[in-house]
Structures are given as C-alpha cells and as structure tokens.
Amino acid sequence: MNDKRTISAIDLALQKHDTPVGPLFMAVRHGRTKKCFTRDTAIRYLAFFMTTEAFERSGFPQRHPRVRIDRDDREVWRDGETKAEYLAAHQRCVRRLRRILARKREMEKWCEKWDAMHDRFVKEVNALQAIKPGGVH
C-alpha cells in the first residue's frame, strides 16, 4: 500500500501487477514500456530508458560509427558497438535506482513502526481519558 508519505515518481516508473501466474513488473518511462517477469530485469530496462533519453537529449552518441565490411564481394554495414560511456552511465543509473528503492523500503518500514507506535499511544490516551477524575483539568 502506498501512502502519501512514501509515494514517489519511481512508483509510476516501476510498477508491480499481481497476476494469477505470479507478479508482473512493468518499466514505464519516456513513452516506452516493457513488461518483465523479474524486478531485476525491470530495473535494468528502466535504467536503459532513462540513460537512452539522457544521451539523446544531450546529443552524446550512444554507439560508435557504423563500420563497412566486405562480405562475399558485397558491401555490408555493421552497427557500431555501444560506447563505454553509455555502459558506465547505464550502470550508474541502475545503482542509483537500487539505492532509491532501498531507501524507499527503509522509509516504509519506519512508517509502519511509527503507525504501530502511534496507534498504541492513541489507545493509551483514550484509556486514560476514560478514567479521568472529574476535578482534573
């Protein structure tokens, strides 16, 4: 259950849907959507969407230039490999997403403890108010 104390944009970007056959995770960001069976895969795709969008907006190339290859006397163009800068940015994005999710889990655990303590406190206050003598202000 999400409450307003811990809800964030990552809840919209990384969604979990319970299905009869098991959980289904969805990575949704920048107009792209990917359905995954594991949370790990969904986090990787979400990082891929975010890193790709950042590289496109900044104008940095994600891949090396295309390479011309002569194969059986025919001209073939092979796409360049992914650049090391892009792969490093993707890894940083995955680490940051995991760190954000871990911090979110800690906040949710703390909120549960707080709610339990608050409920006990309110119950004790109500019990004390019920036995309050008449002359006490």
PDB file of all heavy atoms in Angstrom, residues 82-102:
ATOM      1  N   THR A  82      28.292  -0.397 -28.604  1.00  0.00           N
ATOM      2  CA  THR A  82      27.876   0.582 -27.611  1.00  0.00           C
ATOM      3  C   THR A  82      29.118   1.181 -26.959  1.00  0.00           C
ATOM      4  O   THR A  82      30.068   0.464 -26.635  1.00  0.00           O
ATOM      5  CB  THR A  82      27.004  -0.095 -26.540  1.00  0.00           C
ATOM      6  OG1 THR A  82      25.916  -0.750 -27.186  1.00  0.00           O
ATOM      7  CG2 THR A  82      26.454   0.915 -25.577  1.00  0.00           C
ATOM      8  N   LYS A  83      29.083   2.496 -26.754  1.00  0.00           N
ATOM      9  CA  LYS A  83      30.250   3.173 -26.178  1.00  0.00           C
ATOM     10  C   LYS A  83      30.389   2.869 -24.695  1.00  0.00           C
ATOM     11  O   LYS A  83      29.405   2.612 -23.997  1.00  0.00           O
ATOM     12  CB  LYS A  83      30.128   4.686 -26.379  1.00  0.00           C
ATOM     13  CG  LYS A  83      30.340   5.094 -27.810  1.00  0.00           C
ATOM     14  CD  LYS A  83      30.613   6.565 -27.873  1.00  0.00           C
ATOM     15  CE  LYS A  83      31.134   6.892 -29.265  1.00  0.00           C
ATOM     16  NZ  LYS A  83      31.640   8.237 -29.338  1.00  0.00           N
ATOM     17  N   ALA A  84      31.611   2.916 -24.208  1.00  0.00           N
ATOM     18  CA  ALA A  84      31.888   2.646 -22.792  1.00  0.00           C
ATOM     19  C   ALA A  84      31.222   3.689 -21.897  1.00  0.00           C
ATOM     20  O   ALA A  84      30.770   3.370 -20.791  1.00  0.00           O
ATOM     21  CB  ALA A  84      33.396   2.624 -22.552  1.00  0.00           C
ATOM     22  N   GLU A  85      31.128   4.937 -22.366  1.00  0.00           N
ATOM     23  CA  GLU A  85      30.490   5.992 -21.568  1.00  0.00           C
ATOM     24  C   GLU A  85      29.015   5.678 -21.348  1.00  0.00           C
ATOM     25  O   GLU A  85      28.476   5.908 -20.267  1.00  0.00           O
ATOM     26  CB  GLU A  85      30.620   7.360 -22.254  1.00  0.00           C
ATOM     27  CG  GLU A  85      32.035   7.878 -22.342  1.00  0.00           C
ATOM     28  CD  GLU A  85      32.767   7.362 -23.574  1.00  0.00           C
ATOM     29  OE1 GLU A  85      32.135   6.692 -24.439  1.00  0.00           O
ATOM     30  OE2 GLU A  85      33.978   7.615 -23.662  1.00  0.00           O
ATOM     31  N   TYR A  86      28.366   5.144 -22.390  1.00  0.00           N
ATOM     32  CA  TYR A  86      26.953   4.789 -22.268  1.00  0.00           C
ATOM     33  C   TYR A  86      26.775   3.640 -21.278  1.00  0.00           C
ATOM     34  O   TYR A  86      25.881   3.671 -20.427  1.00  0.00           O
ATOM     35  CB  TYR A  86      26.380   4.405 -23.633  1.00  0.00           C
ATOM     36  CG  TYR A  86      24.934   3.989 -23.564  1.00  0.00           C
ATOM     37  CD1 TYR A  86      23.926   4.939 -23.570  1.00  0.00           C
ATOM     38  CD2 TYR A  86      24.583   2.650 -23.482  1.00  0.00           C
ATOM     39  CE1 TYR A  86      22.595   4.563 -23.500  1.00  0.00           C
ATOM     40  CE2 TYR A  86      23.259   2.264 -23.413  1.00  0.00           C
ATOM     41  CZ  TYR A  86      22.269   3.228 -23.416  1.00  0.00           C
ATOM     42  OH  TYR A  86      20.959   2.847 -23.334  1.00  0.00           O
ATOM     43  N   LEU A  87      27.619   2.620 -21.386  1.00  0.00           N
ATOM     44  CA  LEU A  87      27.512   1.477 -20.476  1.00  0.00           C
ATOM     45  C   LEU A  87      27.766   1.900 -19.028  1.00  0.00           C
ATOM     46  O   LEU A  87      27.082   1.438 -18.108  1.00  0.00           O
ATOM     47  CB  LEU A  87      28.494   0.381 -20.892  1.00  0.00           C
ATOM     48  CG  LEU A  87      28.212  -0.275 -22.243  1.00  0.00           C
ATOM     49  CD1 LEU A  87      29.331  -1.244 -22.600  1.00  0.00           C
ATOM     50  CD2 LEU A  87      26.864  -0.963 -22.226  1.00  0.00           C
ATOM     51  N   ALA A  88      28.743   2.805 -18.824  1.00  0.00           N
ATOM     52  CA  ALA A  88      29.017   3.288 -17.471  1.00  0.00           C
ATOM     53  C   ALA A  88      27.838   4.103 -16.940  1.00  0.00           C
ATOM     54  O   ALA A  88      27.466   3.980 -15.765  1.00  0.00           O
ATOM     55  CB  ALA A  88      30.290   4.135 -17.467  1.00  0.00           C
ATOM     56  N   ALA A  89      27.229   4.919 -17.783  1.00  0.00           N
ATOM     57  CA  ALA A  89      26.069   5.714 -17.367  1.00  0.00           C
ATOM     58  C   ALA A  89      24.892   4.796 -17.023  1.00  0.00           C
ATOM     59  O   ALA A  89      24.161   5.040 -16.057  1.00  0.00           O
ATOM     60  CB  ALA A  89      25.667   6.693 -18.471  1.00  0.00           C
ATOM     61  N   HIS A  90      24.720   3.723 -17.789  1.00  0.00           N
ATOM     62  CA  HIS A  90      23.651   2.767 -17.517  1.00  0.00           C
ATOM     63  C   HIS A  90      23.873   2.104 -16.161  1.00  0.00           C
ATOM     64  O   HIS A  90      22.941   1.974 -15.362  1.00  0.00           O
ATOM     65  CB  HIS A  90      23.605   1.716 -18.633  1.00  0.00           C
ATOM     66  CG  HIS A  90      22.538   0.694 -18.432  1.00  0.00           C
ATOM     67  ND1 HIS A  90      22.787  -0.492 -17.799  1.00  0.00           N
ATOM     68  CD2 HIS A  90      21.230   0.698 -18.762  1.00  0.00           C
ATOM     69  CE1 HIS A  90      21.673  -1.186 -17.758  1.00  0.00           C
ATOM     70  NE2 HIS A  90      20.704  -0.489 -18.346  1.00  0.00           N
ATOM     71  N   GLN A  91      25.116   1.687 -15.875  1.00  0.00           N
ATOM     72  CA  GLN A  91      25.423   1.056 -14.588  1.00  0.00           C
ATOM     73  C   GLN A  91      25.176   2.019 -13.434  1.00  0.00           C
ATOM     74  O   GLN A  91      24.649   1.627 -12.394  1.00  0.00           O
ATOM     75  CB  GLN A  91      26.867   0.559 -14.549  1.00  0.00           C
ATOM     76  CG  GLN A  91      27.055  -0.841 -15.023  1.00  0.00           C
ATOM     77  CD  GLN A  91      26.129  -1.823 -14.360  1.00  0.00           C
ATOM     78  OE1 GLN A  91      25.240  -2.348 -15.009  1.00  0.00           O
ATOM     79  NE2 GLN A  91      26.292  -2.074 -13.082  1.00  0.00           N
ATOM     80  N   ARG A  92      25.572   3.287 -13.598  1.00  0.00           N
ATOM     81  CA  ARG A  92      25.323   4.282 -12.549  1.00  0.00           C
ATOM     82  C   ARG A  92      23.832   4.448 -12.307  1.00  0.00           C
ATOM     83  O   ARG A  92      23.376   4.549 -11.169  1.00  0.00           O
ATOM     84  CB  ARG A  92      25.936   5.628 -12.928  1.00  0.00           C
ATOM     85  CG  ARG A  92      27.432   5.704 -12.759  1.00  0.00           C
ATOM     86  CD  ARG A  92      27.922   7.147 -12.820  1.00  0.00           C
ATOM     87  NE  ARG A  92      27.466   7.872 -13.996  1.00  0.00           N
ATOM     88  CZ  ARG A  92      28.087   7.896 -15.172  1.00  0.00           C
ATOM     89  NH1 ARG A  92      29.209   7.211 -15.326  1.00  0.00           N
ATOM     90  NH2 ARG A  92      27.612   8.592 -16.178  1.00  0.00           N
ATOM     91  N   CYS A  93      23.064   4.455 -13.386  1.00  0.00           N
ATOM     92  CA  CYS A  93      21.619   4.608 -13.271  1.00  0.00           C
ATOM     93  C   CYS A  93      21.009   3.416 -12.531  1.00  0.00           C
ATOM     94  O   CYS A  93      20.135   3.596 -11.673  1.00  0.00           O
ATOM     95  CB  CYS A  93      20.997   4.769 -14.651  1.00  0.00           C
ATOM     96  SG  CYS A  93      19.271   5.229 -14.626  1.00  0.00           S
ATOM     97  N   VAL A  94      21.453   2.212 -12.835  1.00  0.00           N
ATOM     98  CA  VAL A  94      20.952   1.013 -12.136  1.00  0.00           C
ATOM     99  C   VAL A  94      21.272   1.112 -10.651  1.00  0.00           C
ATOM    100  O   VAL A  94      20.406   0.862  -9.798  1.00  0.00           O
ATOM    101  CB  VAL A  94      21.565  -0.274 -12.739  1.00  0.00           C
ATOM    102  CG1 VAL A  94      21.284  -1.475 -11.861  1.00  0.00           C
ATOM    103  CG2 VAL A  94      21.039  -0.503 -14.138  1.00  0.00           C
ATOM    104  N   ARG A  95      22.518   1.486 -10.308  1.00  0.00           N
ATOM    105  CA  ARG A  95      22.900   1.618  -8.897  1.00  0.00           C
ATOM    106  C   ARG A  95      22.054   2.655  -8.181  1.00  0.00           C
ATOM    107  O   ARG A  95      21.608   2.450  -7.051  1.00  0.00           O
ATOM    108  CB  ARG A  95      24.380   1.961  -8.770  1.00  0.00           C
ATOM    109  CG  ARG A  95      25.304   0.791  -8.976  1.00  0.00           C
ATOM    110  CD  ARG A  95      26.706   1.087  -8.487  1.00  0.00           C
ATOM    111  NE  ARG A  95      27.275   2.283  -9.069  1.00  0.00           N
ATOM    112  CZ  ARG A  95      28.014   2.324 -10.173  1.00  0.00           C
ATOM    113  NH1 ARG A  95      28.249   1.210 -10.834  1.00  0.00           N
ATOM    114  NH2 ARG A  95      28.512   3.461 -10.606  1.00  0.00           N
ATOM    115  N   ARG A  96      21.810   3.786  -8.839  1.00  0.00           N
ATOM    116  CA  ARG A  96      21.011   4.846  -8.213  1.00  0.00           C
ATOM    117  C   ARG A  96      19.567   4.403  -8.022  1.00  0.00           C
ATOM    118  O   ARG A  96      18.957   4.700  -6.988  1.00  0.00           O
ATOM    119  CB  ARG A  96      21.076   6.117  -9.060  1.00  0.00           C
ATOM    120  CG  ARG A  96      22.414   6.789  -8.939  1.00  0.00           C
ATOM    121  CD  ARG A  96      22.521   7.989  -9.830  1.00  0.00           C
ATOM    122  NE  ARG A  96      23.844   8.581  -9.700  1.00  0.00           N
ATOM    123  CZ  ARG A  96      24.428   9.291 -10.631  1.00  0.00           C
ATOM    124  NH1 ARG A  96      23.807   9.527 -11.772  1.00  0.00           N
ATOM    125  NH2 ARG A  96      25.624   9.798 -10.435  1.00  0.00           N
ATOM    126  N   LEU A  97      19.012   3.709  -8.995  1.00  0.00           N
ATOM    127  CA  LEU A  97      17.643   3.205  -8.843  1.00  0.00           C
ATOM    128  C   LEU A  97      17.551   2.226  -7.677  1.00  0.00           C
ATOM    129  O   LEU A  97      16.615   2.290  -6.873  1.00  0.00           O
ATOM    130  CB  LEU A  97      17.170   2.532 -10.132  1.00  0.00           C
ATOM    131  CG  LEU A  97      16.827   3.451 -11.295  1.00  0.00           C
ATOM    132  CD1 LEU A  97      16.597   2.642 -12.560  1.00  0.00           C
ATOM    133  CD2 LEU A  97      15.616   4.297 -10.959  1.00  0.00           C
ATOM    134  N   ARG A  98      18.523   1.328  -7.569  1.00  0.00           N
ATOM    135  CA  ARG A  98      18.523   0.379  -6.452  1.00  0.00           C
ATOM    136  C   ARG A  98      18.659   1.099  -5.114  1.00  0.00           C
ATOM    137  O   ARG A  98      18.013   0.727  -4.134  1.00  0.00           O
ATOM    138  CB  ARG A  98      19.645  -0.645  -6.618  1.00  0.00           C
ATOM    139  CG  ARG A  98      19.412  -1.598  -7.746  1.00  0.00           C
ATOM    140  CD  ARG A  98      20.457  -2.695  -7.745  1.00  0.00           C
ATOM    141  NE  ARG A  98      20.421  -3.468  -8.953  1.00  0.00           N
ATOM    142  CZ  ARG A  98      19.491  -4.365  -9.256  1.00  0.00           C
ATOM    143  NH1 ARG A  98      18.516  -4.591  -8.427  1.00  0.00           N
ATOM    144  NH2 ARG A  98      19.534  -5.025 -10.399  1.00  0.00           N
ATOM    145  N   ARG A  99      19.496   2.131  -5.065  1.00  0.00           N
ATOM    146  CA  ARG A  99      19.668   2.904  -3.835  1.00  0.00           C
ATOM    147  C   ARG A  99      18.367   3.625  -3.466  1.00  0.00           C
ATOM    148  O   ARG A  99      17.965   3.653  -2.301  1.00  0.00           O
ATOM    149  CB  ARG A  99      20.806   3.913  -4.005  1.00  0.00           C
ATOM    150  CG  ARG A  99      21.267   4.499  -2.698  1.00  0.00           C
ATOM    151  CD  ARG A  99      22.474   5.419  -2.861  1.00  0.00           C
ATOM    152  NE  ARG A  99      23.419   4.971  -3.855  1.00  0.00           N
ATOM    153  CZ  ARG A  99      23.969   5.754  -4.777  1.00  0.00           C
ATOM    154  NH1 ARG A  99      23.683   7.028  -4.831  1.00  0.00           N
ATOM    155  NH2 ARG A  99      24.832   5.268  -5.650  1.00  0.00           N
ATOM    156  N   ILE A 100      17.684   4.188  -4.457  1.00  0.00           N
ATOM    157  CA  ILE A 100      16.410   4.867  -4.209  1.00  0.00           C
ATOM    158  C   ILE A 100      15.376   3.876  -3.690  1.00  0.00           C
ATOM    159  O   ILE A 100      14.646   4.162  -2.729  1.00  0.00           O
ATOM    160  CB  ILE A 100      15.905   5.556  -5.493  1.00  0.00           C
ATOM    161  CG1 ILE A 100      16.770   6.767  -5.810  1.00  0.00           C
ATOM    162  CG2 ILE A 100      14.450   5.954  -5.364  1.00  0.00           C
ATOM    163  CD1 ILE A 100      16.533   7.350  -7.192  1.00  0.00           C
ATOM    164  N   LEU A 101      15.312   2.693  -4.291  1.00  0.00           N
ATOM    165  CA  LEU A 101      14.350   1.686  -3.856  1.00  0.00           C
ATOM    166  C   LEU A 101      14.662   1.172  -2.453  1.00  0.00           C
ATOM    167  O   LEU A 101      13.746   0.921  -1.660  1.00  0.00           O
ATOM    168  CB  LEU A 101      14.296   0.534  -4.858  1.00  0.00           C
ATOM    169  CG  LEU A 101      13.684   0.883  -6.215  1.00  0.00           C
ATOM    170  CD1 LEU A 101      13.915  -0.241  -7.214  1.00  0.00           C
ATOM    171  CD2 LEU A 101      12.210   1.185  -6.071  1.00  0.00           C
ATOM    172  N   ALA A 102      15.947   1.034  -2.122  1.00  0.00           N
ATOM    173  CA  ALA A 102      16.321   0.599  -0.771  1.00  0.00           C
ATOM    174  C   ALA A 102      15.931   1.656   0.258  1.00  0.00           C
ATOM    175  O   ALA A 102      15.395   1.324   1.327  1.00  0.00           O
ATOM    176  CB  ALA A 102      17.825   0.329  -0.704  1.00  0.00           C
TER     177      ALA A 102
END
